[in-house]
Amino acid sequence: MPLPGSAGPALAKIWTDLGERERELFFEHLFGGTSADWLATTLRRWGHDVSATTIRTYRRSLRQTGV
């Protein structure tokens, strides 16, 4: 299952690199109330290079398209 909307290359790579259980947890944080700063820091700690700005931009694009 791909990420909804138009995820950029950084988020798409993270998604494909994660196992099924990790994807479930990532999905909950990405679409829940977790701050983009905390999520980006945590992902970088585990070797996934993504910025909080990338996460915010993705979330904003989803809201704008109604996804």
Side-chain angles (χ1 to χ4, degrees):
M1 172 178 92
L3 280 171
S6 298
L11 288 175
K13 180 171 179 0
I14 291 169
W15 186 256
T16 59
D17 288 349
L18 297 176
E20 187 174 333
R21 178 64 181 137
E22 293 168 317
R23 283 182 185 168
E24 290 175 17
L25 295 170
F26 178 55
F27 190 88
E28 289 175 20
H29 286 288
L30 188 59
F31 296 101
T34 303
S35 81
D37 292 309
W38 182 89
L39 185 54
T41 299
T42 302
L43 288 166
R44 280 194 308 272
R45 189 175 303 141
W46 292 100
H48 301 288
D49 189 30
V50 67
S51 69
T53 300
T54 297
I55 294 168
R56 286 187 204 99
T57 301
Y58 175 65
R59 288 173 170 172
R60 188 176 313 113
S61 75
L62 291 177
R63 285 192 305 273
Q64 290 173 345
T65 59
V67 175

